[in-house]
Amino acid sequence: MKVLEGKSVYGGIAIGKISIFAKGDRQVKRTSIEDTAAEIKRFDEAKEKAKEQLKALYEKALHEVGEVNAMIFDVHQMMLDDLDYVESVTNIIETQHVNAEFAVATTGDNLSDVFASMEDAYMKERAADIKDISNRVIRILQDREADGLDSDEPVILVAEDLAPSETVQLDKSKVLSFVTRLGSTNSHTAILARTMNIPALIGVGYSEEMDGKMAVVDGFEGKILVEPDEDTLRQYEGRKEEEEKKKKLLQDLKGKETVTLDGRTIHLYANIGSVSDIASVLANDADGIGLFRSEFLYLESDTYPTEEEQFKAYRTVAETMAGKRVIIRTLDIGADKQVEYFDLGKEDNPAMGYRAIRICLDQPDIFKTQLRAIYRASHYGTISIMFPMIISVDEVKKIKEITEEVRKELEAQGIPYGEVELGIMIETPAAVMISDLLAKEVDFFSIGTNDLTQYTLAIDRQNPKLDPIYDPHHEALLRMLQMVVDHGHREGCWVGICGELGADTALTETFLRMGFDELSVSPSMVLKVRDVIRRMDLSDEEV
Ligand code: PEP
Ligand code: MG
């Protein structure tokens, strides 16, 4: 048995086989080939197999997400038969006497460069598709399965790091735990682990030969035990069972009010990243959705999601929540959430760069497409809209003008929409300091403590080296929270927290005493926080 230490970002026990996550970036070697005809045949066979895979993916997507979303797999099949593409690969094999993998990789790189340099936006986007189909053929030639998970059974996923664009593509039902060498407590992989209620470790120095081995992840102690002996395994199986029992006990709180012993109630909502997370929101009986990170719709897609695609997603969430409040946060990309087709370019300080509302105000077409989709969906439930990374009253005024335009256009077209509250995230120190002014403009505030902590303490939330001093309990932060609640209430705004701190049960009582109206936490934390609140007595409070 080998024990590797790391840092836990979410507790729990996972037992299963390790699967080392294969990055999409392929390693292709150039090898000399004598029999070029045989090599071309290898390419042809791999291409046919790739088309079969794409056909199966098309059928699956058609069934699960509809024709519009499935189309991309159809397009990929056609691209594989494109004469320029096929001729380029065969020419390279014949003239350079090289292996098919190298010829496909070279063709993929060359053609994607050509597409990327085109003016036409549609053609530009095809650059990523060329890379995608080439990677698929290379994987087949190298006898590797899909990028990422290549297992039929659920596994402990071990990786260098996981970008949000990679996690969105994972089949989540196959992940028992996340273990990474890099990453930080506040990264989106950590947030995802909390949403999925599975243990996660960072800072683990793993080695490739662990792949396929049996292991235990101890998310309480922050370690992974590779090839545990019989005794250890049995011990952990027992602990896992106990954990399951505890979770079951919390289930008794389903359907119960989130109320303190002395009768104070608070809205307890859940955070989601995609439509499929609603299942866990319902299973954990959240009173609503306090943060729908809509950028994951963009991260999941190869190109800008259309109004119709977005409308369907928002409508599904609104309808499934059956009248409970659903707060959709508008696109928050940039920083660690990179989307290739946005072509955001490299920045020295992406966390403080061209991101979130800055992109939306700079590219109003993208913004308006999303707003139209949200307003249309608001006819089917109770939707509120929230805007990220606000720093000024001016921004909010501009946003309100644009939302007004969108509503007018919908009215002119006879398209119905519902009552929609508008709110902003308070996640910059600037927004905190002018929250008295901002409160006059909006219906609610939701504090994004993840970013607010990083900007207030000047600590990059992605940098694991700084984890020990990333202190969301810092007095500066706590004072800011109180200030925002007071300013919000003075102008009739309700105020909540949707950052990870909202689920910190060591502070739940403090939040209630500060006067927060809402906490939005990972679905898996809802019942735990409800449990804490229901045991709380605030009757000693001065009124
Ligand atoms: C936050 O910053 O606290 C937040 C909720 O947003 P995100 O984690 O998506 O940046
Ligand atoms: Mg944020």
Side-chain angles (χ1 to χ4, degrees):
M1 176 168 82
K2 192 169 165 191
V3 182
L4 300 174
E5 303 276 338
K7 182 171 183 221
S8 172
V9 290
Y10 194 62
I13 306 285
I15 302 174
K17 277 196 188 144
I18 290 175
S19 173
I20 298 197
F21 182 75
K23 285 271 176 196
D25 294 344
R26 80 260 149 171
Q27 299 266 331
V28 175
K29 286 202 189 101
R30 178 191 175 117
T31 358
S32 295
I33 295 292
E34 298 251 316
D35 188 351
T36 52
E39 204 57 17
I40 290 171
K41 189 160 173 264
R42 259 187 88 224
F43 164 65
D44 281 336
E45 282 167 3
K47 180 165 76 77
E48 287 314 306
K49 190 159 175 207
K51 278 164 51 190
E52 274 165 34
Q53 287 180 353
L54 288 162
K55 195 157 176 263
L57 280 172
Y58 176 80
E59 297 298 334
K60 186 168 180 270
L62 189 64
H63 181 66
E64 289 175 0
V65 288
E67 194 174 353
V68 178
N69 295 303
M71 274 311 284
I72 188 67
F73 299 116
D74 218 18
V75 173
H76 279 194
Q77 285 180 66
M78 287 190 283
M79 288 172 95
L80 273 171
D81 275 334
D82 180 81
L83 219 52
D84 287 340
Y85 186 82
V86 176
E87 273 180 9
S88 166
V89 176
T90 45
N91 272 345
I92 293 173
I93 296 175
E94 271 171 353
T95 55
Q96 300 184 31
H97 286 261
V98 287
N99 52 327
E101 289 89 332
F102 182 80
V104 172
T106 310
T107 301
D109 290 346
N110 291 346
L111 289 182
S112 83
D113 282 352
V114 171
F115 278 103
S117 64
M118 287 183 179
E119 284 290 311
D120 183 280
Y122 177 84
M123 298 310 271
K124 229 181 171 60
E125 282 160 20
R126 301 284 75 80
D129 294 319
I130 296 273
K131 281 227 162 114
D132 227 9
I133 58 163
S134 303
N135 282 340
R136 182 175 295 281
V137 176
I138 291 169
R139 281 198 303 268
I140 294 169
L141 285 165
Q142 293 180 332
D143 210 12
R144 287 193 287 129
E145 289 303 316
D147 286 338
L149 282 179
D150 59 357
S151 167
D152 289 336
E153 55 183 310
V155 290
I156 294 168
L157 190 67
V158 177
E160 268 305 290
D161 198 5
L162 289 163
S165 57
E166 287 167 334
T167 55
V168 291
Q169 287 174 36
L170 291 174
D171 177 353
K172 315 271 189 314
S173 64
K174 285 196 193 159
V175 185
L176 298 170
S177 170
F178 291 114
V179 176
T180 60
R181 189 192 307 273
L182 306 173
S184 72
T185 319
N186 308 291
S187 61
H188 281 89
T189 309
I191 293 173
L192 181 64
R194 282 174 212 131
T195 304
M196 290 168 65
N197 202 10
I198 58 172
L201 310 180
I202 55 171
V204 175
Y206 66 91
S207 55
E208 293 289 326
E209 63 265 25
M210 280 163 49
D211 198 28
K213 292 195 173 149
M214 188 67 194
V216 172
V217 176
D218 181 342
F220 299 109
E221 300 279 325
K223 57 188 181 187
I224 174 165
L225 303 89
V226 186
E227 297 190 309
D229 53 57
E230 275 292 306
D231 266 3
T232 313
L233 193 60
R234 216 168 305 126
Q235 228 175 305
Y236 271 107
E237 277 166 354
R239 273 189 70 186
K240 193 165 181 291
E241 240 170 66
E242 264 170 47
E243 284 305 310
E244 299 293 334
K245 271 192 210 141
K246 272 195 213 155
K247 270 187 215 157
K248 282 218 181 82
L249 274 182
L250 283 177
Q251 294 294 312
D252 288 347
L253 293 176
K254 281 170 75 170
K256 301 227 164 104
E257 256 189 291
T258 309
V259 60
T260 61
L261 291 170
D262 56 310
R264 268 271 293 281
T265 56
I266 186 164
H267 296 300
L268 188 53
Y269 294 165
N271 296 345
I272 63 168
S274 70
V275 178
S276 59
D277 292 339
I278 318 178
S280 131
V281 173
L282 297 177
N284 289 288
D285 191 36
D287 306 329
I289 290 173
L291 167 64
F292 178 0
R293 290 182 160 97
S294 71
E295 58 275 10
F296 280 84
L297 284 176
Y298 294 74
L299 281 159
E300 278 161 4
S301 176
D302 290 332
T303 179
Y304 298 97
T306 61
E307 178 183 320
E308 207 53 34
E309 284 162 353
Q310 294 193 58
F311 164 65
K312 274 191 198 150
Y314 305 143
R315 175 181 168 164
T316 305
V317 177
E319 282 181 338
T320 316
M321 291 306 287
K324 289 181 175 170
R325 191 189 263 141
V326 174
I327 303 177
I328 300 175
R329 172 175 77 186
T330 57
L331 181 63
D332 184 16
I333 58 158
D336 61 321
K337 284 175 270 185
Q338 289 293 330
V339 182
E340 223 168 84
Y341 54 86
F342 268 83
D343 207 7
L344 296 177
K346 218 172 152 40
E347 293 179 288
D348 284 342
N349 267 316
M352 296 198 275
Y354 187 62
R355 59 174 291 196
I357 199 68
R358 299 167 186 180
I359 297 177
C360 288
L361 289 175
D362 188 44
Q363 303 189 48
D365 285 352
I366 294 175
F367 195 30
K368 278 177 87 171
T369 301
Q370 177 169 40
L371 289 172
R372 276 181 64 95
I374 301 177
Y375 270 106
R376 282 174 58 197
S378 69
H379 182 60
Y380 302 88
T382 308
I383 288 186
S384 307
I385 312 180
M386 166 159 91
F387 304 95
M389 285 293 289
I390 296 297
I391 55 165
S392 73
V393 173
D394 215 37
E395 280 171 341
V396 179
K397 288 199 166 142
K398 277 195 197 121
I399 290 167
K400 282 166 71 182
E401 273 166 29
I402 298 175
T403 54
E404 171 78 27
E405 263 172 47
V406 167
R407 284 193 301 268
K408 285 220 173 102
E409 282 168 22
L410 290 174
E411 271 159 36
Q413 293 170 309
I415 299 173
Y417 59 86
E419 284 269 323
V420 175
E421 279 193 339
L422 297 182
I424 53 171
M425 291 197 66
I426 302 284
E427 52 184 344
T428 63
V432 173
M433 297 312 291
I434 57 163
S435 49
D436 53 338
L437 306 176
L438 291 168
K440 295 184 202 298
E441 302 292 332
V442 293
D443 301 308
F444 66 95
F445 286 155
S446 186
I447 305 186
T449 49
N450 308 337
D451 277 317
L452 186 58
T453 309
Q454 91 164 334
Y455 297 127
T456 303
L457 304 184
I459 290 178
D460 178 0
R461 66 190 258 201
Q462 294 293 115
N463 187 339
K465 264 197 211 149
L466 301 175
D467 264 355
I469 54 167
Y470 180 96
D471 174 18
H473 289 202
H474 195 292
E475 182 61 23
L477 249 307
L478 298 179
R479 287 188 196 181
M480 284 180 158
L481 298 187
Q482 186 67 69
M483 186 186 229
V484 175
V485 174
D486 293 344
H487 283 163
H489 284 177
R490 224 176 282 156
E491 297 295 337
C493 279
W494 63 262
V495 186
I497 299 179
C498 64
E500 293 298 291
L501 196 66
D504 185 337
T505 49
L507 286 177
T508 311
E509 184 168 339
T510 308
F511 295 149
L512 267 89
R513 288 187 187 276
M514 282 178 165
F516 277 99
D517 306 287
E518 179 243 21
L519 296 174
S520 191
V521 301
S522 298
S524 64
M525 289 300 291
V526 169
L527 295 175
K528 207 162 175 183
V529 176
R530 180 173 295 162
D531 189 32
V532 171
I533 292 174
R534 288 177 62 87
R535 292 166 196 272
M536 201 176 279
D537 188 352
L538 305 175
S539 56
D540 61 338
E541 210 169 46
E542 286 171 31
V543 266

